[in-house]
Structures are given as structure tokens and as C-alpha cells.
Amino acid sequence: MTLENLLKTRQLEPHETNAKQVGEQLNAIRRSLEDARQQTITAETRLEAAYRAIMQLSMLALWANGYRPSTSLGHHATMIQSLVASVGLDSARMQLLDTFRVKRNAVSYSGRDVDMASVKACIAAGEDLSRHVRQWLAENRPDLLS
């Protein structure tokens, strides 16, 4: 799957970004990960915050490539799966992130409990993705970093 193919299938739309927008998103990602690390809130809320950081990072990766997701059904899956093309994430790491999408949906829409091991793994995956995206930006789009 290429980003151009996702554009052709209308899963992505063109988007122009700038350093200000990227900086604001990086700050939001930092706050989401800080929230996820808070041990005084529920495991469910911590998982939601870590997952939000993953989504924010996925969005940022698309922006840096000139795209944004369409709001069609399944845009979260599209955003995560596009990380392979947008920032060169290996498919095993992408698949791990996708398991958190599924888990977050199960927790959010069914009321199921979330185990602390999943919360910690999601936070670690979000932190890892943050390092990966920031490094990719520094190497490929330094103009977007202030």
C-alpha cells in the first residue's frame, strides 16, 4: 500500500502542514503520553491517552507527507497501517499498534476492563513511535521542526 494509492481510493486527502501545526501536534503528543503515565487515573483512561498519542503521531506522519485521513469509516486503521509508507515503520511494529486499536475499541465500546500489562505495552509502543516519528522528521522534514 502506498500513500498515493490511499489517495486514489479516497482514504487520504491532500494536506499542507507547517512548523506551527507540527509543533502544536508534538506538544499534544507529549501531553497525551504524560497523561498515559499518570498512575492515579484508571487503566482505561491511561490506555485511551496512550492510544490518542499513537493516533496523533500517525496523523503527524501523514501531514509530513502531504496527506491527512479522510473521515470515512476505518480512518484509525488507515492511519496506523499507513505508518509503514509514511515513516518507514516496520510491519511488525505497525501490527502491534493495530492490536492497541482493536483493544481500545473493545474497551471503549463494550465496557470491558483493561489489564495493566496492555496499558504499559501501549504506553511503551506510543513512546517508541514518538521516537521513530521524531527521528524521521529530523532526517526527512527538518523544515517542520522548530
Side-chain angles (χ1 to χ4, degrees):
M1 158 182 44
T2 67
L3 298 177
E4 294 79 19
N5 286 345
L6 291 172
L7 180 66
K8 288 177 187 174
T9 61
R10 298 187 178 165
Q11 292 174 281
L12 295 181
E13 297 176 3
H15 179 79
E16 289 185 34
T17 195
N18 56 52
K20 181 179 186 278
Q21 186 180 46
V22 167
E24 289 170 349
Q25 187 76 326
L26 287 170
N27 285 331
I29 292 161
R30 179 188 47 76
R31 290 190 307 270
S32 292
L33 288 172
E34 285 174 0
D35 289 349
R37 291 185 206 101
Q38 295 301 312
Q39 296 182 11
T40 58
I41 58 177
T42 66
E44 180 180 356
T45 302
R46 292 177 69 190
L47 179 74
E48 182 67 37
Y51 178 76
R52 183 175 55 247
I54 291 167
M55 286 295 89
Q56 291 165 324
L57 286 155
S58 299
M59 179 76 76
L60 180 55
L62 285 172
W63 288 350
N65 282 276
Y67 301 100
R68 69 176 181 83
S70 68
T71 55
S72 63
L73 183 65
H75 67 278
H76 282 217
T78 299
M79 289 170 58
I80 289 173
Q81 293 165 6
S82 71
L83 287 164
V84 173
S86 63
V87 293
L89 194 71
D90 66 77
S91 49
R93 287 165 67 194
M94 179 273 294
Q95 290 170 355
L96 174 65
L97 296 174
D98 202 44
T99 64
F100 296 122
R101 178 186 61 80
V102 172
K103 181 167 287 285
R104 177 259 183 190
N105 287 348
V107 170
S108 294
Y109 302 120
S110 73
R112 292 184 200 155
D113 286 336
V114 60
D115 60 287
M116 192 51 66
S118 294
V119 172
K120 289 179 180 178
C122 190
I123 293 168
E127 290 170 338
D128 181 59
L129 181 60
S130 180
R131 284 187 293 275
H132 184 93
V133 170
R134 288 171 187 269
Q135 180 178 348
W136 186 93
L137 286 168
E139 293 172 3
N140 297 278
R141 292 299 309 270
D143 58 301
L144 294 177
L145 298 173
S146 24

